[in-house]
Every structure is written in structure tokens, then in C-alpha cells.
Amino acid sequence: MKTGRVLVVCVLLLLPWGQAEQVDKQPGVFSPEKLREIDDTIQQSLARKELPGGVFWLEHNGRTYLRAYGNRVVFPSVEIMTEDTIFDAASLTKVLVTTPSIMLLVEQGKIEIDAPVAKYIPEFAQKEKDKITLRHLLTHTSGLRPGLPRDTEWHGYEQGIRLACAERPVTEPGSVFHYSDINFIVLGEVVHRVSGKMLNEFSVENVFRPLKMIDTEFLPPKMKLERIAPTERSGNHVFRGEVHDPTARRMGGVAGHAGVFTTASDLARLARCFLNGGELDGVRVWKPETIALFTSIQSPARVQVRRGLGWDIDSPYAGPRGQVFPIGSFGHTGWTGTSVWIDPFSRTFVILLSNRNHPDESGNVIHLRSQLGTLAAEAVQDFDFSDVGTTHVLNGIDVLERDHFAPLRGLKVGLITNQTGTDRDRVPTIDLLAKAEGVQLVALFSPEHGIRGVYDEKVGDSKDEKTGLPVYSLYGERRSPSAEQLAHLDALVFDIQDVGCRFYTYVSTMGNCLEASAKAKKKFFVLDRVNPIDADKVEGPVLDGETSFTGWHNIPVRYGMTIGELARMFNDEREFHADLTVVPAEGWRRNWFFDRDGLPWINPSPNMRNLAEAILYPGVGLLETTPLSVGRGTDTPFELIGAPYISDSSFVIELNAAGLPGVRFIPVTFTPTSSTFEGKVCKGASIILTDRRKCDVVSVGITIARVLSRMYPNDFDLAKFNRLLVHKPTIDAIHNDQSLEQIKDSWVEALKEFQKRREKYLLYK
């Protein structure tokens, strides 16, 4: 079928390479609606001239949706795009050629990932590059600049390598993510030095030929020219069959960062091989463990961006993942408009090959890639992406353990922790650091509730029975480590589970310790942990009064951040200038609740016993300082509210009449065994979460205060409600019987300003 200049080809392949069938003969494989959305999205991008044409390939469990769109050439004449078009892959060369070649040499025992590059290229050691390893190159953490100079005339492969070896790092190796072509230029030469063959020869013999990638090669022959999509126009000359990348062109067309040409079908074979654990059509190219190594997160712990070896996982360039494919999937992009994204969980991959920079550089497919990544995953009908990742989330301590505690090596460490400081196997962080090679654990610091989380009162200093280490309380006579306690330490490490609420004091303890470490000029590490009540929702008023231990910084009641992200905010906005390192969690997304993460629940404090209570806490907990029981001294704290003066039936009628989404109230009576109204019969409400996504828990707390203030003005002390809320305008509004909508409207401007402040400190999508 042909419409205008667009050749529409729609096939479903039974792989490996079975007979083609029409897509509509395979109901249930892909959503027809989403396939239409994919087509419409690409056509709209064509209409906006974001690309002249392209080839799209979606494959799931051996079923394929393939189409060619638009034109292959628009200058000097017009040619229709076809499925077998050959594209300049640009930076896909890094994962099509260089990374796979390095993988093979690793398997053969000829190179080591953590060996210095100078072991294989001795002259690379000059200009302070002796500590740069192959891992640094593969994860773009070498500290090298993005590319070789183009403002001077130079030519030849050997000269390119000489220039790369003459580079000086601009940052310390392993400290910062800087995407750099130089990294892969050097890796291509490592393949050459170790194998004795140029990268193009080695890849053909060991990768392309075994995988039957018949159109993937550097320096494509003239006989294939008519199938090659041209790129940029320079005067009347159009680059067609010669590499677009200027550096690769200067190096003769063969380089580790760019230069390979490929087709969608060839790239699909490589992706399929990766999904099959390194084997395709009965031919094994790599071991399964090698594939797992190179496609899992390998970035140094101190670097926030998550990359595999060569492959992208979660970085600013990971747009093709879209909004559905999970972290743990991987892919890459190319400057000319190429991309591939592979999801091993659902056994799906999506390819977009285009020549968006033909006939000039005005095309742009960044947004299109992201749209197609989302739509491609949504088109898969027989896989539930919401269940992916539950066993793959790692907290900061898990990442630190996996990386053999490298950031702490050679340091004398003080650990701020409690019972929640464990890895995903519940091994305490105390024990892990005490046994970690090269790490000297010197002292422990405990927050509110003590080192084991069992106290509801002030705690004194003590001694840890298992390790014999001193335990200094930060919830007794002092709230911060003293200068004397820090004198013999090199660093403080913080590992405590937060619950995402401003007045939960672990946040304040972290802030105090961060400040103390800055004053003492000690390193400060936060082993980040997921926010159990999700971290994409910001709720409640921004603190509008004096700071305190239950209101440490001007943030909302629910701030939608992890404790590591908060540390970054505190350090910057309080101008501590601490030497701060956040070891991020991995495999987690901001909108996940704790039961999605697959991590063990450990009560963060004595009265925080399950996820429902943690979700309700930012709202119900606001009422703790008022004449109201919030369920302390019962089996379900924060799921109950009541007092002797309340008539439960009429109280619940008023609460339910408010029509709060995601929550209902049931009349109950209970007798707390401790805390407020200890031993007294309380009448009130049991709080039932019916939809935790829709429930604005701070609104629940405000509504309870409004109803109590109106029904029982002589018993409920509204002024005490402000001790944790710290927002006098809200108290005044409740006193004046303003509506919930009016109250929330008064928060809007401060929340918008906070959202802008918050954005720069976020580490997760």
C-alpha cells in the first residue's frame, strides 16, 4: 500500500526468520490501538520535518511489527524509505561494535575491566591518566572531554589515537559522568592492541559474521550505496556511504565511537541475541554471565547516572526507554537519529533508525524516541510492566556492598543508623561495615528510638554488644555529633529509613549530622533509601515559621524526595559545603510504593508497623500534639483516631461527608495502653485507605482538625495543631471555618516555588 511518498509495510515475523504474516492475523500480540498511535506519532513527526524518514521495529517474544516511513533521500532527488535501508548508526557503534568486541576479549581472559587502560596502551598513562580503567571508559566516568579537537587540522587513525592519549582528564576518574567519544576511541584501540586486528576486522569475524548481520560494517561498499540513507549536506555534497561523524571521518572511517552502518534487521539480530543470553540460531557468541555483566548497572557508586558497560540504563540520554520500560532495561542512541532499547523482563526491544540530520541538522527525534519507547511498551498486551522491578531494587547499602565498599576504603568511619539500616537480606549495615575490607568502623550514632528502634523516649550513650563499639545518642543530651566524637573520624555514613514526612525526626538527624560533618571537614555519605510512600507527590503547606527538630527545613509536610535527595538540598540551601556523597538506590522509580520494591519491611519506629500506617502518617501524625489519640498504645497506630469527648457516630458522619478521595471512616471505640488518653475509652474513627493513589493524606489531617475544631471547640486545642504543621495561615483559616479548598489554595504559590527548588536535587525518575 502506497500513500503519497510513504511506503507502508506492515508485517509480523515468526522468528527466527519464519514466514511473514499480517499483523491483524495475530490478535493479542500487540495492541492495535497502540500500533496506530505509533504510526500517527511518526507521521506527525514527519509532518513537522523532524526527520525525512525512518524504519521502526518493535519485537516482543519473537513477534515483530515493522514499518518504513517517509523518504530515504530528499536532496538532490527524492527516494522512498524502505525496510532494508542502511543507516549511519553513529554512536550505536559503541554498543554494536566496540562494547561487544571488548566483551569477547574479557571472556577470553585477554583484558580486565578494572585494569588501567595503560596496561594495554602504555602511552595512555601520560597527563595523569594512569588511574583510568577500562570500566571508567565503558561507563563514561573517565573524566575525559567529550571529543577530540576539531579546530585544528589533523588526519589519520594513528593521529587520532595519539591525540586521545595526549588528553588530560578534566575531572577525577570515577567521580562524574561525562559522555565522551574519546572513551570509545581508546577502547577501539584496546581491541586493536590486544587482538592484533583493527576494530572493523575483529568485529566482522567475531560479531557480525556469527550473527549473520550481513549489512553491518564500516566503510560500506559502493554496491550498497543506493540502499544507504544519506546524512548531512555540505554545499552540493551529501554524505552518503561515508561516516557523518567528523572525527571518525578524519580517522579513515573506522573508530570505536562511530562509523558503523547497519539495518533494522541486523540490529534486531543483535538485540535478539542479547535477549537470548548471548546465543542466536544455535550459535553462542557470548556467555550469559557476560551479557548480564555488561547490561547491569556498573557505574561507580558515587556517580548518580546509571550505566552498564557501554549500554545506557538510566542517564540523561535514556529517552528511548520511555515511561514504561523499567530500569534494568538498556539501550543506546546515535547522533544521526538512531536508537535501540532492549527490555529483558518482557523480552521486548524497540528500534528507530532514521537520518534526522538529512539534508541538514535541523531534524530532531529526541522527543519522538521517548514517545515511541512508551507506546512500544504499552503496545505489549501480554506482559504486566507494573510487576517488573520488585526484586531488582537496591538501597544504597546494597549498592555499596555490591561495589565492595569502594568509596569507604581507607577511611575511619562513624555510622549513623538504627534497626532499619540493613541490606535487602536484613544483614545490618553495622555488621557489613565492621567486616568490610579496608574500612575501619570506629563509632556508632543512634537517632530517636535508639540504635535498635525500641525506645519512645530520650536515649543515652551506650555500647554495642556485638561489635563493642561506642554508641553515641543523637536523641539525648545532644542532637548532633560533637567535635570530640568526630575528631578521630574521616567520614560519617548515614543509613536510616525515612518515611517521607517533614516532622519524622530522622530527616532532622541527617541534617544535623551533615552540618556537623561540614564544620569538622569530614566526608559525609548518605546510603540512600527508597521513599516508602512514593516520592512523586508533594503535599501540604511549606513550613512557615521557625525551624525545629520536627521542622528542620522549609519544605512541605510531604516533600516527595528521598533522604539522599534531601541531603543534597540541605547541603546546598543551608550552604554547608559539606563533602557529600549520596550512594543512590538502584532500580527504583519515584511513583512506587514500598510494596512494589521487593525490599523487606522493618518498622522504622515502634509505632510505624506497616505501609498503610506510613502512608497515613503525614496527615494523621499532624494531630499527635493535640488532645486526640492517634492510636499510639493500640495495635494499629495512625489508623485510629479518637478521644473520650467524641461522639463516634456523628464524628464519622461529618468526616465522610467531606468526600475525601481514597479514604473512608468507620465508627470505633478503643482504649490506648499508652500515650494520649492512656487507659481511657476513646470513641472515634478507624481510617480505611480505599485508594492510596487518590488519597491526599495531609488533607485528611486538615479535615480531621476542621471537624474537631467545629464540633468540639472546648476540648480540641487548635493552636496545638500548629506544632507540627508550622503554618499559622492554615490554623487561622480553620479557626475562621474556611473550606478545605480555600485552605489548600493558600499553599499553592509556596508549593510551586518549592517544586522549582526541589527539581535540581532529584536523582530518580
Side-chain angles (χ1 to χ4, degrees):
M1 182 176 65
K2 184 176 180 182
T3 305
R5 296 178 179 176
V6 180
L7 179 65
V8 178
V9 182
C10 186
V11 300
L12 185 75
L13 304 180
L14 296 179
L15 296 171
W17 310 107
Q19 184 176 357
E21 298 185 31
Q22 295 298 316
V23 171
D24 58 5
K25 292 183 180 180
Q26 292 290 337
V29 175
F30 297 117
S31 161
E33 293 79 9
K34 290 299 176 181
L35 294 182
R36 282 194 291 272
E37 275 194 68
I38 288 169
D39 290 341
D40 290 344
T41 298
I42 296 175
Q43 295 290 4
Q44 291 165 13
S45 188
L46 287 169
R48 291 191 297 267
K49 296 185 178 181
E50 294 172 342
L51 69 167
V55 176
F56 176 81
W57 185 303
L58 170 62
E59 182 164 316
H60 168 65
N61 275 334
R63 299 294 197 271
T64 295
Y65 181 70
L66 169 64
R67 285 194 66 177
Y69 302 82
N71 298 311
R72 178 162 61 209
V73 183
V74 296
F75 179 87
S77 58
V78 175
E79 297 176 20
I80 298 294
M81 184 68 71
T82 60
E83 299 163 28
D84 65 347
T85 295
I86 300 170
F87 292 85
D88 180 341
S91 281
L92 286 191
T93 301
K94 295 177 173 72
V95 292
L96 261 169
V97 184
T98 311
T99 298
S101 298
I102 290 287
M103 291 162 68
L104 287 170
L105 294 172
V106 169
E107 275 197 2
Q108 296 167 10
K110 294 179 179 178
I111 61 174
E112 299 174 5
I113 294 301
D114 291 308
V117 177
K119 178 178 179 180
Y120 311 105
I121 307 176
E123 65 269 31
F124 184 80
Q126 61 180 299
K127 296 189 179 179
E128 302 174 0
K129 297 195 301 297
D130 54 304
K131 294 182 180 179
I132 295 178
T133 66
L134 296 183
R135 180 187 296 274
H136 292 143
L137 299 181
L138 287 159
T139 57
H140 293 288
T141 58
S142 67
L144 295 175
R145 295 188 303 160
L148 295 179
R150 297 180 184 176
D151 55 354
T152 59
E153 280 299 317
W154 63 269
H155 295 281
Y157 179 87
E158 292 78 10
Q159 181 62 11
I161 300 303
R162 279 194 290 271
L163 288 171
C165 290
E167 285 285 317
R168 186 186 301 276
V170 295
T171 57
E172 178 188 355
S175 64
V176 180
F177 170 79
H178 281 310
Y179 186 87
S180 171
D181 286 344
I182 299 175
N183 291 329
F184 278 76
I185 290 171
V186 173
L187 285 166
E189 178 61 7
V190 170
V191 173
H192 177 212
R193 298 279 180 105
V194 173
S195 71
K197 296 181 179 180
M198 290 292 291
L199 183 62
N200 57 330
E201 299 170 343
F202 184 89
S203 57
V204 167
E205 293 179 12
N206 295 278
V207 179
F208 306 149
R209 191 175 296 155
L211 290 178
K212 299 178 181 178
M213 296 168 65
I214 57 176
D215 286 317
T216 303
E217 58 197 326
F218 292 91
L219 307 171
K222 290 183 179 180
M223 59 180 288
K224 294 183 179 181
L225 192 64
E226 65 179 16
R227 283 202 290 134
I228 296 176
T231 54
E232 194 175 4
R233 168 189 173 186
S234 178
N236 289 323
H237 176 72
V238 175
F239 293 111
R240 188 173 192 178
E242 56 182 319
V243 60
H244 171 264
D245 181 87
T247 299
R249 201 160 58 243
R250 288 184 178 190
M251 293 179 69
V254 177
H257 71 293
V260 82
F261 288 73
T262 194
T263 60
S265 61
D266 274 10
L267 184 51
R269 290 187 67 77
L270 181 75
R272 204 173 303 128
C273 182
F274 270 67
L275 288 179
N276 291 339
E279 181 180 7
L280 185 65
D281 298 345
V283 177
R284 175 158 297 286
V285 183
W286 301 279
K287 298 176 183 177
E289 54 266 34
T290 304
I291 298 293
L293 170 68
F294 276 73
T295 58
S296 60
I297 296 169
Q298 298 294 327
S299 301
R302 63 194 292 193
V303 175
Q304 311 302 339
V305 165
R306 291 175 279 194
R307 305 276 301 197
L309 297 176
W311 293 94
D312 194 357
I313 295 173
D314 186 27
S315 85
Y317 302 96
R321 191 177 74 228
Q323 299 300 312
V324 180
F325 286 129
I327 293 178
S329 58
F330 54 93
H332 213 280
T333 62
W335 177 262
T336 51
T338 58
S339 63
V340 58
W341 203 266
I342 305 171
D343 176 37
F345 306 105
S346 64
R347 295 187 60 79
T348 303
F349 61 85
V350 57
I351 294 168
L352 174 67
L353 295 183
S354 79
N355 54 337
R356 64 97 198 159
N357 59 344
H358 173 69
D360 53 43
E361 288 286 344
S362 63
N364 190 323
V365 294
I366 293 175
H367 183 56
L368 176 62
R369 286 168 175 158
S370 180
Q371 289 179 296
L372 294 179
T374 299
L375 291 171
E378 291 174 342
V380 175
Q381 297 190 121
D382 63 349
F383 186 83
D384 185 359
F385 287 94
S386 68
D387 288 336
V388 176
T390 57
T391 61
H392 298 276
V393 176
L394 302 178
N395 277 321
I397 181 58
D398 301 298
V399 174
L400 192 68
E401 184 180 9
R402 182 199 66 197
D403 295 342
H404 309 292
F405 306 93
L408 304 182
R409 292 276 182 89
L411 301 179
K412 294 179 181 179
V413 167
L415 175 63
I416 310 149
T417 193
N418 64 4
Q419 77 288 347
T420 64
T422 75
D423 66 8
R424 62 179 298 120
D425 295 322
R426 293 189 174 88
V427 179
T429 303
I430 297 172
D431 298 344
L432 293 170
L433 292 188
K435 297 176 182 177
E437 183 179 351
V439 180
Q440 188 175 349
L441 183 59
V442 175
L444 304 175
F445 297 85
S446 66
E448 183 180 3
H449 308 299
I451 200 79
R452 302 298 176 189
V454 296
Y455 300 107
D456 251 341
E457 57 195 28
K458 288 187 176 181
V459 181
D461 295 343
S462 61
K463 186 177 182 179
D464 182 59
E465 294 182 2
K466 187 170 184 179
T467 62
L469 293 172
V471 180
Y472 300 117
S473 173
L474 301 178
Y475 196 74
E477 297 302 319
R478 71 183 76 85
R479 297 292 170 89
S480 301
S482 67
E484 182 182 11
Q485 291 165 351
L486 297 178
H488 302 294
L489 301 179
D490 299 313
L492 283 174
V493 177
F494 185 94
D495 188 22
I496 296 176
Q497 178 66 60
D498 179 33
V499 297
C501 176
R502 184 182 68 204
F503 50 84
Y504 204 57
T505 63
Y506 298 153
V507 169
S508 306
T509 296
M510 184 274 291
N512 285 338
C513 293
L514 179 64
E515 183 177 21
S517 72
K519 290 179 179 178
K521 300 190 183 305
K522 308 294 182 181
K523 295 177 182 292
F524 194 83
F525 293 86
V526 175
L527 308 185
D528 208 6
R529 289 185 170 269
V530 303
N531 187 324
I533 62 173
D534 84 28
D536 66 343
K537 195 171 187 179
V538 173
E539 237 191 300
V542 175
L543 184 141
D544 184 35
E546 291 186 7
T547 58
S548 67
F549 197 58
T550 53
W552 200 85
H553 196 62
N554 57 331
I555 56 179
V557 176
R558 279 191 65 185
Y559 37 78
M561 302 173 76
T562 66
I563 202 154
E565 292 171 331
L566 277 176
R568 285 156 56 89
M569 173 180 277
F570 293 172
N571 195 40
D572 185 29
E573 294 188 345
R574 291 289 190 97
E575 296 184 347
F576 292 153
H577 306 296
D579 185 355
L580 170 66
T581 298
V582 177
V583 180
E586 289 185 359
W588 178 73
R589 291 192 177 185
R590 318 194 62 79
N591 63 344
W592 288 359
F593 285 92
F594 195 84
D595 53 6
R596 167 68 190 272
D597 303 330
L599 297 166
W601 176 269
I602 299 172
N603 294 346
S605 53
N607 287 283
M608 192 74 66
R609 302 171 188 172
N610 58 48
L611 180 57
E613 291 167 5
I615 293 170
L616 289 168
Y617 180 73
V620 179
L622 284 169
L623 296 146
E624 283 200 78
T625 57
T626 70
L628 183 76
S629 171
V630 295
R632 288 184 182 271
T634 75
D635 292 335
T636 53
F638 310 115
E639 297 180 74
L640 295 174
I641 52 171
Y645 57 82
I646 291 176
S647 170
D648 55 340
S649 297
S650 57
F651 180 52
V652 165
I653 288 172
E654 289 291 319
L655 290 175
N656 284 327
L660 296 174
V663 66
R664 295 291 290 171
F665 302 89
I666 300 172
V668 294
T669 61
F670 59 94
T671 304
T673 60
S674 63
S675 194
T676 305
F677 299 128
E678 178 182 351
K680 296 181 180 181
V681 176
C682 294
K683 290 167 285 182
S686 173
I687 306 171
I688 309 298
L689 272 174
T690 58
D691 190 331
R692 64 191 186 185
R693 289 282 180 198
K694 293 181 179 178
C695 181
D696 293 334
V697 293
V698 177
S699 296
V700 172
I702 298 294
T703 298
I704 293 169
R706 289 182 68 246
V707 171
L708 288 171
S709 182
R710 186 173 63 249
M711 293 182 69
Y712 307 103
N714 296 326
D715 298 290
F716 181 73
D717 190 344
L718 181 60
K720 291 182 178 179
F721 186 55
N722 199 42
R723 291 182 181 177
L724 297 180
L725 185 69
V726 199
H727 196 261
K728 185 66 162 50
T730 295
I731 302 302
D732 294 339
I734 295 173
H735 181 76
N736 294 326
D737 200 27
Q738 290 187 14
S739 69
L740 178 63
E741 289 70 25
Q742 289 174 311
I743 292 170
K744 293 175 71 172
D745 284 345
S746 72
W747 305 341
V748 170
E749 290 306 315
L751 283 174
K752 285 182 179 178
E753 191 274 334
F754 170 75
Q755 292 274 28
K756 292 179 182 177
R757 289 166 45 207
R758 167 181 175 265
E759 187 66 29
K760 65 188 286 190
Y761 306 111
L762 301 184
L763 298 172
Y764 313 94
K765 292 187 177 180

